[in-house]
Amino acid sequence: MGLYLLDYGAGNVQSLANSLTRLGHSFKWISTPADFDNATILIFPGVGAFGSAVQSLESRGLREPLLKYIQSGRPFMGICIGMQILFESSAESSYPGLGVIPCPIEEFDSSDKAVPHIGWNSADLIHKTVDPVHYYFVHSFCAKYNPEKYPAAAEWVHSTTQYGRELFISIVRKGNVFGTQFHPEKSGTAGLNLLDAWLRNPEFESESASPVLKRTHGLTKRIVACMDVRANDQGDLVVTKGDQYDVREKADCTSAVAGQVRNLGKPVGLAARYYEQGADELCLLNITSFRHSPLQDQPMLAVVRAAAECVFVPLTIGGGIKDTVDPDGTKRSALEVAGAYFRAGADKVSIGSEAVYAVERLRAAGKGDGTSAIETIAHAYGRQAVVVSVDPRRVYVDAETYDGPYRDEVVTEKGKAWWYQCTVSGGRESRQVSVAELARGVEALGAGEILVNSIDRDGTGLGFDLDLLKLVKKNVHIPVIASSGAGSKEDFVQVFRETGVEAGLAAGIFHREEVGIADVKDALESAGIKVRLQRE
């Protein structure tokens, strides 16, 4: 008897387990249909795609026992897909939901905003007026708040959230049932407090009210701390940082470390520090270690597990997320590699060179073939789990005579003209794919976000490449993360004001403590740009 967690086999459920452990709650896992009879409190931390979740529940014989449990009156909490499955259907899939709440799940309208909805937004309680608290959302589909069309569903609404001009249900609460569209286990202190409060008082009846659209939504701009991880010359995993992708110390006759890998700290320690300082997301990019055998790279898996135990904001892992063959001949799919990192505690995976190759195949065939890392991972875990990291560089041309395939993308400034060419293998090889072409292609294949690096600006401290970011932003409807070149807090203010990107990423200035995360957020707040404050 006691608290049980339902894992249907997809996505990062380890983060919830880590959160409960942090809060001092013991739990067991549902492994067979009979386990439902022993549960007195049940949490379903659904992550991924609606159809995959329902299909997995059915194949494991868990759908009917789950519905029977909910109908028994015992406390139930559903998170993200675990909440959506309570509804009657989803536009994401032909599989029916449990039908507990008589309302469909619908897709966001992307005409006025980026979709997926990724980031920290406020959940506005309908039964009392309190200062809004920001929680972490990551989804493309939602239960839109429509009391006129779905009056019975409106009785379940405990809070709503606005994104763009759409109002959706972010918390349901009625009788024994509690559900959140956001991820409390990834929402920092606010999320941990919410989890603990519900576990200590799961019985609650909400009151009815009428939420209304506000002039602007509460989605904040995200500050992402990135850590490039690789083995140093002694074999230890360290956080490093390159200057235009060169991570070794410059040769200097007075330096004892000339030519060695630049060591800026241990990955887990830095991750914990950035979480405490208020980073909205963390990114760990393994830039060398598992190029040939990702699932045998136990040190990196251990880093992810350890970081997930002390970091309660989203964690992205990149490097080696591709189809590979182990030294012993065992084939490993990108989906298998991603699954291992999700189970270790990652929330998203970042795909680099493989995305360029996939877009080249897309261009040649006119459609995706369903086998790329982007497509397979997005199908199983949802597009919000897939980040594409692009490494473009400027290719200078004569603006008056250039008549190549990317003439519509040429940027001109101060007498110079260029287009942005994509590279692979850490910038070492250029491909005949423009950054705009790549952005459109990966969105079509199923990517949920684009992380835009700049080889020209990397490590320079000259600020983000605004022309590059504007070009990418106008070519996609998915969120864009700005990277490379940040040298001051003012650079973040400028990039959000002038490009409309959803997030800004930095590495070296945070590692060297030249600029603090709190300093960046204070500057953004002073400039009237919404951010999640550390006190939340």
Side-chain angles (χ1 to χ4, degrees):
M1 308 297 282
L3 171 61
Y4 276 74
L5 307 187
L6 173 57
D7 175 12
Y8 70 90
N12 175 14
V13 297
Q14 186 59 44
S15 290
L16 178 64
N18 292 339
S19 296
L20 295 174
T21 299
R22 174 75 166 257
L23 293 169
H25 297 282
S26 59
F27 59 88
K28 298 179 181 178
W29 295 95
I30 293 284
S31 56
T32 69
D35 290 331
F36 285 96
D37 294 331
N38 297 322
T40 53
I41 301 180
L42 177 64
I43 302 179
F44 183 6
V47 179
F50 186 95
S52 297
V54 176
Q55 190 176 17
S56 182
L57 288 174
E58 291 180 347
S59 67
R60 298 181 181 207
L62 301 178
R63 178 189 171 104
E64 291 308 313
L66 171 60
L67 180 58
K68 182 180 178 182
Y69 174 92
I70 294 171
Q71 293 171 338
S72 74
R74 286 171 288 172
F76 169 84
M77 179 179 185
I79 297 173
C80 196
I81 294 296
M83 184 195 88
Q84 290 190 4
I85 205 170
L86 296 170
F87 290 75
E88 60 187 18
S89 63
S90 173
E92 187 179 9
S93 169
S94 59
Y95 285 94
L98 297 178
V100 175
I101 303 175
C103 175
I105 299 295
E106 303 174 76
E107 189 169 10
F108 278 116
D109 177 7
S110 63
S111 64
D112 67 336
K113 56 186 177 295
V115 176
H117 172 221
I118 299 179
W120 299 75
N121 207 335
S122 58
D124 301 314
L125 300 178
I126 66 171
H127 65 283
K128 60 182 178 180
T129 301
V130 296
D131 291 335
V133 176
H134 290 90
Y135 299 101
Y136 183 76
F137 293 82
V138 53
H139 57 123
S140 299
F141 297 81
C142 66
K144 297 181 181 179
Y145 180 71
N146 192 336
E148 291 77 20
K149 190 173 183 179
Y150 304 106
E155 297 176 4
W156 290 80
V157 179
H158 185 63
S159 82
T160 59
T161 295
Q162 184 174 331
Y163 185 40
R165 299 300 297 167
E166 293 183 288
L167 198 63
F168 67 91
I169 302 170
S170 50
I171 301 179
V172 296
R173 191 161 195 176
K174 186 177 181 182
N176 63 305
V177 175
F178 181 57
T180 65
Q181 179 58 71
F182 54 84
H183 287 270
E185 77 280 15
K186 286 295 173 180
S187 296
T189 301
L192 294 177
N193 289 343
L194 182 142
L195 272 174
D196 195 46
W198 179 77
L199 286 167
R200 297 183 187 282
N201 181 27
E203 300 292 341
F204 183 87
E205 285 290 342
S206 63
E207 305 169 21
S208 61
S210 298
V212 295
L213 280 173
K214 295 173 287 188
R215 186 173 59 85
T216 60
H217 60 218
L219 185 67
T220 65
K221 298 297 186 181
R222 289 174 282 148
I223 303 302
V224 183
C226 182
M227 288 151 281
D228 291 340
V229 180
R230 65 158 290 167
N232 63 12
D233 297 322
Q234 290 73 45
D236 300 320
L237 284 182
V238 299
V239 174
T240 187
K241 182 68 185 78
D243 292 327
Q244 296 183 303
Y245 291 30
D246 180 3
V247 300
R248 292 188 176 273
E249 298 287 0
K250 302 301 181 185
D252 184 334
C253 62
T254 65
S255 174
V257 296
Q260 294 187 19
V261 172
R262 190 173 291 114
N263 184 349
L264 297 175
K266 296 295 185 179
V268 176
L270 279 179
R273 187 179 92 189
Y274 294 143
Y275 167 66
E276 293 296 334
Q277 290 177 352
D280 297 311
E281 293 190 23
L282 299 174
C283 188
L284 287 168
L285 300 182
N286 190 322
I287 60 176
T288 56
S289 296
F290 49 56
R291 292 301 187 194
H292 303 294
S293 185
L295 295 186
Q296 293 183 15
D297 186 3
Q298 295 303 312
M300 189 61 191
L301 282 166
V303 165
V304 176
R305 292 190 189 99
E309 290 176 358
C310 60
V311 167
F312 301 98
V313 294
L315 181 62
T316 299
I317 303 300
I321 311 299
K322 60 182 179 179
D323 295 344
T324 59
V325 179
D326 284 350
D328 64 1
T330 303
K331 293 183 178 180
R332 305 287 190 183
S333 70
L335 180 61
E336 184 180 3
V337 176
Y341 280 88
F342 289 141
R343 288 189 294 276
D347 301 284
K348 296 183 277 188
V349 292
S350 176
I351 299 171
S353 299
E354 293 303 302
V356 180
Y357 303 140
V359 170
E360 290 177 337
R361 296 195 298 271
L362 171 68
R363 181 175 61 189
K367 62 178 181 179
D369 58 15
T371 66
S372 70
I374 297 172
E375 294 166 281
T376 56
I377 297 169
H379 177 74
Y381 296 103
R383 71 185 306 149
Q384 73 285 341
V386 180
V387 180
V388 165
S389 177
V390 55
D391 297 320
R393 63 159 48 96
R394 296 179 179 185
V395 176
Y396 288 92
V397 297
D398 186 322
E400 295 183 359
T401 62
Y402 177 70
D403 193 35
Y406 306 115
R407 56 187 174 274
D408 293 336
E409 301 171 21
V410 170
V411 176
T412 58
E413 182 181 299
K414 297 180 180 179
K416 295 183 178 180
W418 64 86
W419 62 279
Y420 292 98
Q421 183 176 26
C422 292
T423 68
V424 297
S425 301
R428 294 186 296 275
E429 178 186 345
S430 298
R431 307 292 290 190
Q432 285 303 309
V433 179
S434 76
V435 71
E437 184 180 17
L438 182 82
R440 293 190 298 267
V442 299
E443 179 177 20
L445 290 171
E449 269 183 303
I450 298 180
L451 169 58
V452 183
N453 304 295
S454 168
I455 294 176
D456 304 286
R457 289 296 179 92
D458 182 62
T460 65
L462 298 176
F464 298 98
D465 190 331
L466 304 180
D467 293 316
L468 170 61
L469 294 164
K470 290 175 184 176
L471 179 62
V472 173
K473 188 71 178 131
K474 76 176 185 180
N475 275 277
V476 296
H477 294 95
I478 58 179
V480 174
I481 305 169
S483 176
S484 303
S488 68
K489 58 188 179 182
E490 289 78 17
D491 289 335
F492 288 89
V493 174
Q494 182 184 41
V495 76
F496 288 131
R497 274 183 171 169
E498 297 189 23
T499 70
V501 296
E502 283 70 31
L505 177 150
I509 60 171
F510 293 155
H511 302 336
R512 295 186 291 267
E513 300 186 75
E514 296 167 355
V515 178
I517 293 171
D519 297 329
V520 172
K521 291 194 170 186
D522 287 343
L524 292 171
E525 185 183 30
S526 296
I529 298 171
K530 291 180 181 176
V531 291
R532 178 184 69 101
L533 299 177
Q534 191 173 359
R535 60 176 177 270
E536 297 183 50

